[in-house]
């Protein structure tokens, strides 16, 4: 079952191992951000992924910013030998 986090970002345990995806497609938020971080321009990315829309890229940034607004805790895991 697909759960939409925003209008464009969804999580579906049956698609891409449950990673956040764009509009139910097999394009992950991580993939989009990695391409952009590596220097791919928006235009190049939209050309490589014709189903992707400019607003999808914006949604990836918005999603990432929202994730950074959350509190995270690091658990100490004890290893049993």
């Amino acid at each position: 079952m697909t759960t939409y986090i925003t209008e464009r970002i969804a999580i579906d345990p049956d698609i891409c191992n449950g990673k956040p995806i764009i509009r139910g497609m097999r394009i992950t938020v991580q993939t989009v951000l990695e391409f952009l971080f590596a220097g791919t321009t928006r235009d190049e990315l939209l050309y490589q992924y014709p189903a992707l829309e400019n607003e999808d890229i914006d949604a990836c940034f918005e999603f990432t910013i929202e994730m950074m607004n959350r509190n995270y805790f690091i658990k100490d895991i004890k290893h049993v030998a």
Side-chain angles (χ1 to χ4, degrees):
M1 178 180 160
T2 302
T3 302
Y4 277 84
I5 299 170
T6 70
E7 289 181 14
R8 293 183 176 267
I9 306 297
I11 293 179
D12 185 326
D14 295 328
I15 301 175
C16 296
N17 295 316
K19 290 186 176 188
I21 54 175
I22 299 167
R23 292 186 287 121
M25 298 183 289
R26 294 186 182 279
I27 303 172
T28 66
V29 170
Q30 179 179 353
T31 297
V32 170
L33 295 175
E34 285 176 346
F35 269 106
L36 294 170
F37 183 71
T40 303
T41 66
R42 279 181 180 245
D43 289 338
E44 291 170 333
L45 192 56
L46 294 170
Y47 179 77
Q48 290 178 19
Y49 292 91
L52 199 62
E53 299 174 356
N54 203 35
E55 293 81 6
D56 296 326
I57 296 171
D58 292 339
C60 290
F61 286 125
E62 291 171 15
F63 174 76
T64 303
I65 290 168
E66 182 58 34
M67 289 295 100
M68 299 317 311
N69 282 330
R70 300 186 187 273
N71 291 325
Y72 297 93
F73 300 95
I74 299 174
K75 290 184 177 183
D76 186 23
I77 300 175
K78 305 210 187 289
H79 295 281
V80 178

